[in-house]
Each structure stands twice: as structure tokens, then as C-alpha cells.
């Protein structure tokens, strides 16, 4: 059997450390891109490709979440066979979705490399399926150090490849390859070392059919998550086609670098939060309130700092190429706190197997984001701030209401 689960404090330490490293690496890439790429259009092209890949990856994170929930230690080799079949099925479906998505996005975002972009998007999603399944099993077995190693391996591989491509002023195809290859590369690297500790040492608490049904729910919700987290460049480009490229690029850059410090750590902790909420050490409501209160305090501080310092820092960093008003930056940071809060209420629902309400909250938030960006009769700055802030709050309301409702077949509420 896999070795005994590591302590909860140690687990959080490993995951937060890995998240910090991976987040810093991704952040560095996002900071380098607007500086090293020659103009607004090329930066938007890079951002749209990155965004497209990570929307799909975010959707597939639902696979990791469900595998985390379903996996427990146990010597049941049949579960391994079920999981392999499941992984192949998901990989095939992900490849098809990747091709369709690429063919829709590529002609307008990077018309000179439509086929190449489609190919590398498929490479990314198939590689991430393998990583997501492995990470889910690792979380379920509480192998926290290996979880951390997987996240760090992915981040460092991407940092090296993308960094070299940007510094060398490589064409789009090479940058796309550098973004996509590390997903599968990290899986192969970690699997080589941990295979013997995993095979035959876990069991799933549901059969293949229920696993697929539950995963469809988590993937749907994760896709909605990706749309309002990493998919913002694609959404803005699509819903605001008449906005000046310089303004749009400035908004994309501001959203990317100001929201990441709040959202990325919480996103990385999704599987950990599911396991934590699933335990009975403290009432769920009390744990949820603690997390949300801490998040609100951090968000408020970040929003105030953004109002006063984001505009001059962004302008100085990009030599005046990109800038937004301070109030816009503050509003964007506040919206990040709302999305992060939705990323906390979601795992609370999943820990109680309330997949339907979990999906409903995220779908409402995603749909509201798109509709507000399309139809709000205000300027681009106001439209972006309102849409990004209000939409996740609607999703939070759905999640909180669901947590207060009795579970099916009971009259108890989540306290």
C-alpha cells in the first residue's frame, strides 16, 4: 500500500510551496511576454493562445477534482483498470474538443498558423489529461510531496521552454509548442519515479459509469471556471471586437498580472479543499467562513494597493505601452477576490457530492460574465470591471444557498 498519509499541516505546506513556485514561474512568463513581444497584436495573439489552452486545461481540472474525491487507499487492482479506460476515454474526448476549439479560435487569433496551433492545443490537452488523472490519485492517496513535485516540474519545464522562445523571438508555432509540451512532460517525469507506489494501491468509491457522470459535472463547472479565470483574453477579444487593440491589450495585461496572486493559489488548492471539507474535524460552515473571511481581508488590501500603485507601475514596467486607470485595476483585483471565493464554495459543495449545484453556480457566473460584457451599455473599462465582479458573486449566492439546503433523502443542512 501507499505510505501513510502525511500530516495536514505538512500537506498544506507542500502544496502552498509548490503553488508559490509554479505561480511565480507563470507570473514571470506573463510579465516577460508584453515586454519581449513587439506590439499589441502579437501580445494579444500570445495571450489568446495561452488563454485558449488554459481554458481547456481548467475544464480538465474537473477530472482531477473528481478523481481526488473518488480515490482512497486500498489494494484493488480493478480500480486501476477502470481508471486507465476512463483516462483514455477522456483523452480522446479532450482531443476532439481541442481540435474544434482551435479551429474556431485560430483563424481570427493567429490566421498564419491555424493548423499548427490546433496541433499544439491537442498536444496540451492530451498531456494534461494524464497529469490530471495522476494528480487526482496522488491527492486521494495524500501523497502531498509528489503532488508538489508534479506542479513544480510542469512549471519549470514551461518556464525554460517559453522563456527561450520569447528571448529568441521565436515564431508563434515555437511559442505554442513551448506552452503545450510541459503538460505531458511533467507527467512522464513524475510517473517514472512513483509508478510502483501507486499501481494496485488505490481504489475508487464509484464505478466507471458514475465516475463518468460525476466527471461530466465537474468538467462542465471547471470549463465555466476557466472561462472567467484564464479565458478572459478570449472572451474580451470575442465580445469587444471594436475596442482599440491598445486598450484591450492593457486590460488583458492588467487582468493577468493583478488577478493571478489571488486566484492561482486558490485554484491550486481545489483538491486539497475538497479533502479538507470532506473531513469531519470541524463543521463545514465554520471552516468555510474562516477561509472566506481571510480571503476577503486579503482582497480588500490588494484592491486598495492596486488603486494607488497599479497604474504607474504598469506604465513604467512596459515603458508606457500599456496602462489603465487605478480604479480599474482596483476593481479588477476585487473581482479576483470574488472568483477566488467561488473557488472556495465550490469544493465545499463537491465534498458533499452536490455536483448539480456546483455546476449551476459556475455556469451562472460564466454566462453572466459573457452577457454583461456583450450588453452593458457603458465604456470598456466600466463594462469589464462590472462584468468580472458581479458575475462570480451571483455564483457564490447559488453555492451558499445550496449548502444550506438538506442533502437528498435527509433533512439535515450543512453547518
Amino acid at each position: 500500500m501507499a505510505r501513510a498519509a502525511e500530516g495536514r499541516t505538512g500537506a498544506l505546506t507542500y502544496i502552498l510551496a509548490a503553488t508559490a513556485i509554479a505561480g511565480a514561474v507563470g507570473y514571470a512568463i506573463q510579465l516577460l511576454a508584453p515586454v519581449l513581444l513587439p506590439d499589441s497584436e502579437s501580445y494579444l495573439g500570445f495571450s489568446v493562445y495561452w488563454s485558449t489552452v488554459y481554458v481547456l486545461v481548467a475544464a480538465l481540472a474537473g477530472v482531477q477534482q473528481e478523481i481526488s474525491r473518488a480515490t482512497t487507499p486500498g489494494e484493488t487492482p480493478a480500480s486501476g483498470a477502470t481508471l486507465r479506460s476512463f483516462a483514455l476515454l477522456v483523452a480522446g474526448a479532450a482531443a476532439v474538443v481541442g481540435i474544434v476549439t482551435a479551429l474556431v479560435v485560430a483563424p481570427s487569433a493567429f490566421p498564419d498558423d491555424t493548423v499548427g496551433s490546433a496541433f499544439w492545443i491537442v498536444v496540451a490537452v492530451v498531456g494534461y489529461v494524464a497529469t490530471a488523472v495522476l494528480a487526482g490519485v496522488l491527492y486521494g492517496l495524500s501523497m502531498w510531496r509528489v503532488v508538489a513535485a508534479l506542479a513544480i516540474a510542469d512549471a519549470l519545464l514551461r518556464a525554460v521552454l517559453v522563456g527561450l522562445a520569447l528571448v529568441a523571438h521565436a515564431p508563434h508555432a515555437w511559442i505554442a509548442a513551448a506552452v503545450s509540451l510541459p503538460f505531458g512532460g511533467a507527467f512522464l517525469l513524475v510517473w517514472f519515479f512513483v509508478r510502483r507506489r501507486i499501481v494496485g494501491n488505490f481504489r475508487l468509491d464509484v464505478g466507471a459509469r458514475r465516475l463518468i457522470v460525476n466527471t461530466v459535472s465537474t468538467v462542465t463547472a471547471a470549463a465555466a471556471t476557466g472561462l472567467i479565470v484564464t479565458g478572459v483574453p478570449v472572451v474580451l477579444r470575442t465580445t469587444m471586437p471594436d475596442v482599440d487593440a491598445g486598450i484591450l491589450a492593457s486590460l488583458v495585461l492588467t487582468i493577468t498580472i493583478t488577478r493571478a496572486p489571488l486566484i492561482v493559489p486558490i485554484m491550486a488548492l481545489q483538491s486539497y479543499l475538497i479533502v479538507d471539507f470532506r473531513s469531519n474535524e470541524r463543521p463545514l460552515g465554520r471552516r468555510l467562513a474562516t477561509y472566506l473571511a481571510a480571503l476577503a481581508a486579503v482582497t480588500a488590501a490588494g484592491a486598495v494597493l492596486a488603486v494607488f500603485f497599479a497604474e504607474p507601475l504598469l506604465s513604467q514596467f512596459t515603458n508606457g505601452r500599456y496602462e489603465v486607470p487605478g480604479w480599474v485595476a482596483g476593481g479588477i483585483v476585487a473581482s479576483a477576490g470574488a472568483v477566488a471565493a467561488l473557488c472556495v464554495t465550490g469544493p465545499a459543495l463537491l465534498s458533499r457530492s452536490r455536483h448539480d449545484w456546483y455546476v449551476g453556480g459556475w455556469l451562472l457566473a460564466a454566462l453572466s460574465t459573457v452577457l454583461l460584457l456583450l450588453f452593458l451599455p457603458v465604456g470598456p473599462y466600466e463594462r469589464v470591471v462590472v462584468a468580472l465582479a458581479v458575475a462570480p458573486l451571483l455564483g457564490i449566492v447559488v453555492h451558499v444557498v445550496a449548502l444550506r439546503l438538506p442533502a437528498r433523502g435527509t433533512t439535515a443542512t450543512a453547518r
Side-chain angles (χ1 to χ4, degrees):
M1 294 196 47
R3 66 182 178 181
E6 295 150 2
R8 189 65 56 87
T9 302
L12 189 58
T13 300
Y14 290 130
I15 295 172
L16 288 178
T19 301
I21 295 171
V25 167
Y27 206 62
I29 292 173
Q30 296 299 324
L31 291 175
L32 280 174
V35 174
L36 296 178
L37 292 169
D39 52 43
S40 298
E41 288 295 341
S42 59
Y43 171 63
L44 283 175
F46 167 82
S47 296
V48 170
Y49 182 83
W50 182 284
S51 177
T52 302
V53 167
Y54 274 92
V55 167
L56 296 172
V57 164
L60 291 170
V63 174
Q64 176 184 315
Q65 292 172 19
E66 179 55 26
I67 297 299
S68 299
R69 190 207 60 76
T71 299
T72 54
E75 296 180 1
T76 52
S79 290
T82 298
L83 194 58
R84 281 193 296 273
S85 299
F86 170 80
L88 290 173
L89 177 64
V90 173
V96 172
V97 173
I99 291 172
V100 172
T101 302
L103 293 179
V104 170
V105 173
S108 59
F110 12 81
D112 296 333
D113 190 31
T114 299
V115 175
S117 297
F119 173 79
W120 289 116
I121 287 173
V122 171
V123 169
V125 296
V126 171
Y128 186 74
V129 168
T131 298
V133 170
L134 175 59
V137 173
L138 293 172
Y139 269 107
L141 296 177
S142 298
M143 297 174 64
W144 309 114
R145 281 183 284 188
V146 185
V147 169
L150 183 62
I152 292 171
D154 174 79
L156 293 183
L157 285 172
R158 185 167 296 101
V160 171
L161 294 179
V162 175
L164 289 174
L166 290 175
V167 170
H169 302 289
H172 173 79
W174 287 96
I175 297 176
V179 171
S180 300
L181 283 172
F183 293 115
F187 164 78
L188 292 175
L189 181 63
V190 173
W191 180 247
F192 177 79
F193 290 102
V194 302
R195 180 180 180 277
R196 292 183 179 180
R197 294 170 53 191
I198 293 176
V199 175
N201 290 326
F202 70 93
R203 60 183 176 86
L204 305 175
D205 68 1
V206 292
R209 181 175 298 179
R210 174 49 56 183
L211 186 65
I212 291 171
V213 171
N214 287 350
T215 300
V216 168
S217 296
T218 53
V219 165
T220 302
T225 305
L227 189 68
I228 62 176
V229 176
T230 57
V232 171
V234 175
V235 175
L236 292 186
R237 183 86 163 182
T238 304
T239 59
M240 303 168 68
D242 298 328
V243 175
D244 176 76
I247 293 176
L248 199 58
S250 296
L251 282 167
V252 167
L253 178 58
T254 304
I255 290 167
T256 299
I257 65 176
T258 62
R259 301 213 310 170
L262 273 172
I263 296 176
V264 170
I266 304 298
M267 291 290 291
L269 288 170
Q270 293 293 278
S271 293
Y272 173 85
L273 288 172
I274 292 172
V275 174
D276 184 54
F277 285 133
R278 190 174 63 186
S279 72
N280 296 316
E281 295 176 1
R282 285 191 299 157
L284 183 149
R286 188 179 302 170
R287 278 175 286 164
L288 181 60
T290 300
Y291 285 133
L292 292 180
L295 186 58
V298 173
T299 299
V304 171
L305 290 173
V307 168
F308 291 103
F309 299 110
E311 182 177 5
L313 288 176
L314 187 64
S315 178
Q316 182 177 5
F317 178 73
T318 61
N319 292 321
R321 292 169 61 188
Y322 305 109
E323 58 184 4
V324 297
W327 69 267
V328 175
I332 288 172
V333 172
S335 77
V339 174
L342 194 56
C343 293
V344 174
T345 57
L349 280 172
L350 287 181
S351 72
R352 296 299 184 260
S353 295
R354 306 299 294 272
H355 294 75
D356 47 357
W357 287 95
Y358 172 78
V359 173
W362 277 109
L363 285 180
L364 177 61
L367 181 61
S368 300
T369 300
V370 174
L371 292 178
L372 289 170
L373 286 171
L374 280 172
F375 298 116
L376 272 180
V378 293
Y381 291 141
E382 294 84 353
R383 206 186 322 170
V384 167
V385 170
V386 172
L388 295 185
V390 170
L393 292 177
L394 297 176
I396 291 171
V397 170
V398 171
H399 284 182
V400 171
V401 169
L403 285 169
R404 302 296 299 178
L405 294 176
R408 291 190 183 95
T410 73
T411 58
T413 56
R415 293 276 191 256

